[in-house]
mmCIF file of all heavy atoms in Angstrom:
data_model
loop_
_atom_site.group_PDB
_atom_site.id
_atom_site.type_symbol
_atom_site.label_atom_id
_atom_site.label_comp_id
_atom_site.label_asym_id
_atom_site.label_seq_id
_atom_site.Cartn_x
_atom_site.Cartn_y
_atom_site.Cartn_z
ATOM 1 N N ALA A 1 -26.661 7.413 -24.085
ATOM 2 C CA ALA A 1 -25.496 6.549 -23.948
ATOM 3 C C ALA A 1 -25.810 5.199 -23.316
ATOM 4 O O ALA A 1 -26.696 5.133 -22.497
ATOM 5 C CB ALA A 1 -24.373 7.205 -23.151
ATOM 6 N N PRO A 3 -25.051 2.560 -20.822
ATOM 7 C CA PRO A 3 -24.252 2.475 -19.536
ATOM 8 C C PRO A 3 -23.390 1.246 -19.508
ATOM 9 O O PRO A 3 -22.323 1.263 -18.887
ATOM 10 C CB PRO A 3 -25.312 2.448 -18.455
ATOM 11 C CG PRO A 3 -26.644 2.258 -19.090
ATOM 12 C CD PRO A 3 -26.458 2.637 -20.520
ATOM 13 N N SER A 7 -19.745 2.665 -18.684
ATOM 14 C CA SER A 7 -19.405 2.562 -17.265
ATOM 15 C C SER A 7 -18.066 1.878 -17.087
ATOM 16 O O SER A 7 -17.781 0.987 -17.867
ATOM 17 C CB SER A 7 -20.481 1.783 -16.491
ATOM 18 O OG SER A 7 -21.680 2.484 -16.451
ATOM 19 N N ASP A 11 -11.426 -3.358 -12.324
ATOM 20 C CA ASP A 11 -10.468 -4.184 -13.044
ATOM 21 C C ASP A 11 -9.721 -5.123 -12.046
ATOM 22 O O ASP A 11 -8.675 -4.771 -11.525
ATOM 23 C CB ASP A 11 -9.431 -3.326 -13.793
ATOM 24 C CG ASP A 11 -8.641 -4.118 -14.786
ATOM 25 O OD1 ASP A 11 -8.647 -5.334 -14.687
ATOM 26 O OD2 ASP A 11 -7.925 -3.462 -15.615
ATOM 27 N N VAL A 18 -0.935 -6.032 -9.995
ATOM 28 C CA VAL A 18 -0.060 -5.086 -9.305
ATOM 29 C C VAL A 18 0.495 -5.786 -8.048
ATOM 30 O O VAL A 18 1.672 -5.606 -7.695
ATOM 31 C CB VAL A 18 -0.897 -3.760 -8.889
ATOM 32 C CG1 VAL A 18 -0.047 -2.906 -7.859
ATOM 33 C CG2 VAL A 18 -1.196 -2.999 -10.095
ATOM 34 N N LYS A 23 5.325 -7.879 -5.393
ATOM 35 C CA LYS A 23 5.928 -8.997 -4.676
ATOM 36 C C LYS A 23 7.071 -9.757 -5.446
ATOM 37 O O LYS A 23 7.613 -10.700 -4.972
ATOM 38 C CB LYS A 23 4.877 -10.038 -4.252
ATOM 39 C CG LYS A 23 3.911 -9.583 -3.126
ATOM 40 C CD LYS A 23 2.820 -10.612 -2.878
ATOM 41 C CE LYS A 23 3.349 -11.981 -2.748
ATOM 42 N NZ LYS A 23 2.321 -13.013 -2.596
ATOM 43 N N ASN A 24 7.381 -9.221 -6.653
ATOM 44 C CA ASN A 24 8.380 -9.818 -7.507
ATOM 45 C C ASN A 24 9.623 -10.153 -6.669
ATOM 46 O O ASN A 24 10.296 -9.302 -6.096
ATOM 47 C CB ASN A 24 8.697 -8.889 -8.608
ATOM 48 C CG ASN A 24 9.661 -9.442 -9.642
ATOM 49 O OD1 ASN A 24 10.662 -10.090 -9.281
ATOM 50 N ND2 ASN A 24 9.368 -9.207 -10.937
ATOM 51 N N GLU A 25 10.018 -11.432 -6.650
ATOM 52 C CA GLU A 25 11.203 -11.937 -5.963
ATOM 53 C C GLU A 25 12.500 -11.275 -6.361
ATOM 54 O O GLU A 25 13.400 -11.104 -5.568
ATOM 55 C CB GLU A 25 11.305 -13.421 -6.003
ATOM 56 C CG GLU A 25 10.150 -14.150 -5.291
ATOM 57 C CD GLU A 25 10.201 -15.668 -5.307
ATOM 58 O OE1 GLU A 25 11.117 -16.177 -6.005
ATOM 59 O OE2 GLU A 25 9.374 -16.309 -4.684
ATOM 60 N N LYS A 27 12.942 -8.252 -7.335
ATOM 61 C CA LYS A 27 12.947 -6.891 -6.816
ATOM 62 C C LYS A 27 12.987 -6.795 -5.354
ATOM 63 O O LYS A 27 13.354 -5.733 -4.759
ATOM 64 C CB LYS A 27 11.723 -6.075 -7.356
ATOM 65 C CG LYS A 27 11.644 -5.979 -8.853
ATOM 66 C CD LYS A 27 10.304 -5.393 -9.322
ATOM 67 C CE LYS A 27 10.218 -5.384 -10.788
ATOM 68 N NZ LYS A 27 11.099 -4.460 -11.481
ATOM 69 N N GLU A 29 14.358 -9.177 -3.055
ATOM 70 C CA GLU A 29 15.380 -10.125 -2.516
ATOM 71 C C GLU A 29 14.609 -11.349 -2.038
ATOM 72 O O GLU A 29 14.620 -11.640 -0.856
ATOM 73 C CB GLU A 29 16.175 -9.504 -1.384
ATOM 74 C CG GLU A 29 17.665 -9.599 -1.685
ATOM 75 C CD GLU A 29 18.561 -8.872 -0.667
ATOM 76 O OE1 GLU A 29 18.613 -9.362 0.476
ATOM 77 O OE2 GLU A 29 19.093 -7.804 -1.020
ATOM 78 N N ASN A 30 13.966 -12.064 -2.945
ATOM 79 C CA ASN A 30 13.186 -13.309 -2.693
ATOM 80 C C ASN A 30 12.140 -13.012 -1.566
ATOM 81 O O ASN A 30 11.988 -13.847 -0.735
ATOM 82 C CB ASN A 30 14.143 -14.421 -2.248
ATOM 83 C CG ASN A 30 14.950 -14.835 -3.428
ATOM 84 O OD1 ASN A 30 14.453 -15.003 -4.534
ATOM 85 N ND2 ASN A 30 16.250 -15.048 -3.150
ATOM 86 N N TYR A 33 11.816 -8.525 1.695
ATOM 87 C CA TYR A 33 11.279 -7.159 1.953
ATOM 88 C C TYR A 33 9.837 -7.064 1.547
ATOM 89 O O TYR A 33 9.397 -6.027 0.927
ATOM 90 C CB TYR A 33 12.183 -6.113 1.238
ATOM 91 C CG TYR A 33 13.522 -6.032 1.821
ATOM 92 C CD1 TYR A 33 14.648 -6.681 1.126
ATOM 93 C CD2 TYR A 33 13.797 -5.527 3.024
ATOM 94 C CE1 TYR A 33 15.894 -6.639 1.676
ATOM 95 C CE2 TYR A 33 15.060 -5.560 3.613
ATOM 96 C CZ TYR A 33 16.153 -6.084 2.927
ATOM 97 O OH TYR A 33 17.402 -6.049 3.477
ATOM 98 N N ALA A 36 2.887 -8.219 5.042
ATOM 99 C CA ALA A 36 1.452 -7.950 4.924
ATOM 100 C C ALA A 36 0.856 -7.698 6.308
ATOM 101 O O ALA A 36 1.296 -8.340 7.281
ATOM 102 C CB ALA A 36 0.719 -9.111 4.276
ATOM 103 N N ILE A 49 -10.338 -9.448 -1.347
ATOM 104 C CA ILE A 49 -11.605 -9.630 -2.054
ATOM 105 C C ILE A 49 -12.601 -10.340 -1.051
ATOM 106 O O ILE A 49 -13.824 -9.948 -1.055
ATOM 107 C CB ILE A 49 -11.450 -10.504 -3.308
ATOM 108 C CG1 ILE A 49 -10.720 -9.707 -4.364
ATOM 109 C CG2 ILE A 49 -12.850 -10.981 -3.810
ATOM 110 C CD1 ILE A 49 -11.290 -8.412 -4.836
ATOM 111 N N GLU A 53 -16.325 -8.866 -0.185
ATOM 112 C CA GLU A 53 -17.459 -9.669 -0.352
ATOM 113 C C GLU A 53 -18.198 -9.796 0.989
ATOM 114 O O GLU A 53 -19.463 -9.718 1.020
ATOM 115 C CB GLU A 53 -17.128 -11.048 -0.887
ATOM 116 C CG GLU A 53 -16.786 -10.996 -2.362
ATOM 117 C CD GLU A 53 -16.205 -12.336 -2.875
ATOM 118 O OE1 GLU A 53 -16.029 -13.318 -2.116
ATOM 119 O OE2 GLU A 53 -16.076 -12.438 -4.120
ATOM 120 N N VAL A 64 -13.527 1.421 -6.427
ATOM 121 C CA VAL A 64 -12.075 1.432 -6.180
ATOM 122 C C VAL A 64 -11.823 0.091 -5.389
ATOM 123 O O VAL A 64 -12.325 -0.046 -4.308
ATOM 124 C CB VAL A 64 -11.557 2.614 -5.436
ATOM 125 C CG1 VAL A 64 -10.130 2.494 -5.084
ATOM 126 C CG2 VAL A 64 -11.824 3.909 -6.283
ATOM 127 N N VAL A 70 3.358 4.650 -3.676
ATOM 128 C CA VAL A 70 4.750 4.454 -3.837
ATOM 129 C C VAL A 70 5.513 5.450 -3.001
ATOM 130 O O VAL A 70 5.221 6.685 -3.111
ATOM 131 C CB VAL A 70 5.201 4.558 -5.313
ATOM 132 C CG1 VAL A 70 6.698 4.305 -5.470
ATOM 133 C CG2 VAL A 70 4.413 3.533 -6.183
ATOM 134 N N LEU A 90 5.015 3.530 7.827
ATOM 135 C CA LEU A 90 3.961 4.258 7.073
ATOM 136 C C LEU A 90 2.592 3.499 7.051
ATOM 137 O O LEU A 90 1.579 4.018 7.395
ATOM 138 C CB LEU A 90 4.373 4.571 5.656
ATOM 139 C CG LEU A 90 3.413 5.350 4.788
ATOM 140 C CD1 LEU A 90 3.038 6.706 5.284
ATOM 141 C CD2 LEU A 90 3.904 5.394 3.357
ATOM 142 N N LEU A 94 -0.735 4.711 9.198
ATOM 143 C CA LEU A 94 -1.860 5.266 8.396
ATOM 144 C C LEU A 94 -2.961 4.235 8.100
ATOM 145 O O LEU A 94 -4.172 4.603 7.857
ATOM 146 C CB LEU A 94 -1.381 5.824 7.062
ATOM 147 C CG LEU A 94 -0.410 7.043 7.206
ATOM 148 C CD1 LEU A 94 -0.028 7.560 5.800
ATOM 149 C CD2 LEU A 94 -0.995 8.162 8.036
ATOM 150 N N PHE A 95 -2.662 2.955 8.003
ATOM 151 C CA PHE A 95 -3.636 2.019 7.450
ATOM 152 C C PHE A 95 -3.810 0.791 8.284
ATOM 153 O O PHE A 95 -4.942 0.215 8.250
ATOM 154 C CB PHE A 95 -3.170 1.636 6.074
ATOM 155 C CG PHE A 95 -2.966 2.779 5.157
ATOM 156 C CD1 PHE A 95 -1.670 3.138 4.704
ATOM 157 C CD2 PHE A 95 -4.029 3.562 4.687
ATOM 158 C CE1 PHE A 95 -1.423 4.114 3.891
ATOM 159 C CE2 PHE A 95 -3.769 4.615 3.892
ATOM 160 C CZ PHE A 95 -2.521 4.995 3.512
ATOM 161 N N ASP A 97 -4.364 -0.282 11.176
ATOM 162 C CA ASP A 97 -5.351 -0.475 12.236
ATOM 163 C C ASP A 97 -6.699 -0.842 11.752
ATOM 164 O O ASP A 97 -7.519 -1.432 12.405
ATOM 165 C CB ASP A 97 -5.480 0.774 13.064
ATOM 166 C CG ASP A 97 -5.866 1.959 12.295
ATOM 167 O OD1 ASP A 97 -5.603 2.083 11.117
ATOM 168 O OD2 ASP A 97 -6.524 2.832 12.898
ATOM 169 N N VAL A 101 -3.034 -4.435 4.183
ATOM 170 C CA VAL A 101 -1.958 -3.710 3.535
ATOM 171 C C VAL A 101 -0.830 -4.613 3.203
ATOM 172 O O VAL A 101 -0.429 -5.456 4.027
ATOM 173 C CB VAL A 101 -1.437 -2.534 4.393
ATOM 174 C CG1 VAL A 101 -0.395 -1.729 3.668
ATOM 175 C CG2 VAL A 101 -2.557 -1.707 4.885
ATOM 176 N N LEU A 112 15.824 3.280 -3.997
ATOM 177 C CA LEU A 112 14.978 2.245 -3.366
ATOM 178 C C LEU A 112 13.567 2.812 -3.240
ATOM 179 O O LEU A 112 13.375 4.095 -3.079
ATOM 180 C CB LEU A 112 15.527 1.916 -1.980
ATOM 181 C CG LEU A 112 16.919 1.408 -1.971
ATOM 182 C CD1 LEU A 112 17.378 1.052 -0.535
ATOM 183 C CD2 LEU A 112 17.140 0.155 -2.862
ATOM 184 N N ASN A 131 -10.328 9.632 1.921
ATOM 185 C CA ASN A 131 -9.336 10.648 2.326
ATOM 186 C C ASN A 131 -9.185 11.538 1.144
ATOM 187 O O ASN A 131 -9.177 11.121 -0.012
ATOM 188 C CB ASN A 131 -8.009 9.963 2.706
ATOM 189 C CG ASN A 131 -7.171 10.856 3.627
ATOM 190 O OD1 ASN A 131 -7.440 12.059 3.805
ATOM 191 N ND2 ASN A 131 -6.164 10.309 4.174
ATOM 192 N N ASN A 132 -8.941 12.802 1.380
ATOM 193 C CA ASN A 132 -8.595 13.730 0.267
ATOM 194 C C ASN A 132 -7.120 13.929 0.316
ATOM 195 O O ASN A 132 -6.376 13.613 1.226
ATOM 196 C CB ASN A 132 -9.428 15.034 0.383
ATOM 197 C CG ASN A 132 -8.959 15.802 1.581
ATOM 198 O OD1 ASN A 132 -7.860 16.011 1.912
ATOM 199 N ND2 ASN A 132 -10.074 16.404 2.275
ATOM 200 N N PHE A 133 -6.634 14.441 -0.839
ATOM 201 C CA PHE A 133 -5.232 14.565 -1.076
ATOM 202 C C PHE A 133 -4.554 15.516 -0.012
ATOM 203 O O PHE A 133 -3.452 15.270 0.477
ATOM 204 C CB PHE A 133 -4.852 15.061 -2.438
ATOM 205 C CG PHE A 133 -4.981 13.931 -3.490
ATOM 206 C CD1 PHE A 133 -5.948 14.013 -4.427
ATOM 207 C CD2 PHE A 133 -4.108 12.865 -3.479
ATOM 208 C CE1 PHE A 133 -6.020 13.006 -5.343
ATOM 209 C CE2 PHE A 133 -4.223 11.855 -4.329
ATOM 210 C CZ PHE A 133 -5.141 11.890 -5.313
ATOM 211 N N ILE A 138 -0.752 16.127 4.353
ATOM 212 C CA ILE A 138 -0.487 16.617 5.735
ATOM 213 C C ILE A 138 -0.082 15.480 6.654
ATOM 214 O O ILE A 138 0.972 15.513 7.312
ATOM 215 C CB ILE A 138 -1.732 17.380 6.292
ATOM 216 C CG1 ILE A 138 -1.872 18.719 5.520
ATOM 217 C CG2 ILE A 138 -1.545 17.591 7.799
ATOM 218 C CD1 ILE A 138 -3.220 19.373 5.844
ATOM 219 N N TYR A 143 4.239 12.380 9.303
ATOM 220 C CA TYR A 143 4.918 11.057 9.490
ATOM 221 C C TYR A 143 6.356 11.195 9.104
ATOM 222 O O TYR A 143 7.235 10.703 9.734
ATOM 223 C CB TYR A 143 4.167 10.001 8.746
ATOM 224 C CG TYR A 143 5.086 8.891 8.342
ATOM 225 C CD1 TYR A 143 5.454 7.929 9.312
ATOM 226 C CD2 TYR A 143 5.691 8.808 7.076
ATOM 227 C CE1 TYR A 143 6.340 6.940 8.959
ATOM 228 C CE2 TYR A 143 6.569 7.811 6.817
ATOM 229 C CZ TYR A 143 6.913 6.854 7.721
ATOM 230 O OH TYR A 143 7.793 5.909 7.457
ATOM 231 N N ARG A 144 6.610 11.775 7.902
ATOM 232 C CA ARG A 144 7.955 11.880 7.446
ATOM 233 C C ARG A 144 8.921 12.659 8.367
ATOM 234 O O ARG A 144 9.990 12.155 8.704
ATOM 235 C CB ARG A 144 7.970 12.493 6.049
ATOM 236 C CG ARG A 144 9.319 12.329 5.330
ATOM 237 C CD ARG A 144 9.174 13.005 4.026
ATOM 238 N NE ARG A 144 9.998 14.162 4.071
ATOM 239 C CZ ARG A 144 10.384 14.800 2.990
ATOM 240 N NH1 ARG A 144 10.049 14.471 1.839
ATOM 241 N NH2 ARG A 144 11.147 15.841 3.144
#
Side-chain angles (χ1 to χ4, degrees):
S7 295
D11 191 347
V18 170
K23 289 176 48 185
N24 183 316
E25 292 181 356
K27 298 174 182 290
E29 235 174 74
N30 293 316
Y33 294 104
I49 293 301
E53 287 175 351
V64 173
V70 179
L90 178 64
L94 299 182
F95 307 109
D97 63 329
V101 183
L112 303 180
N131 202 350
N132 65 45
F133 283 113
I138 289 170
Y143 154 76
R144 193 179 109 164

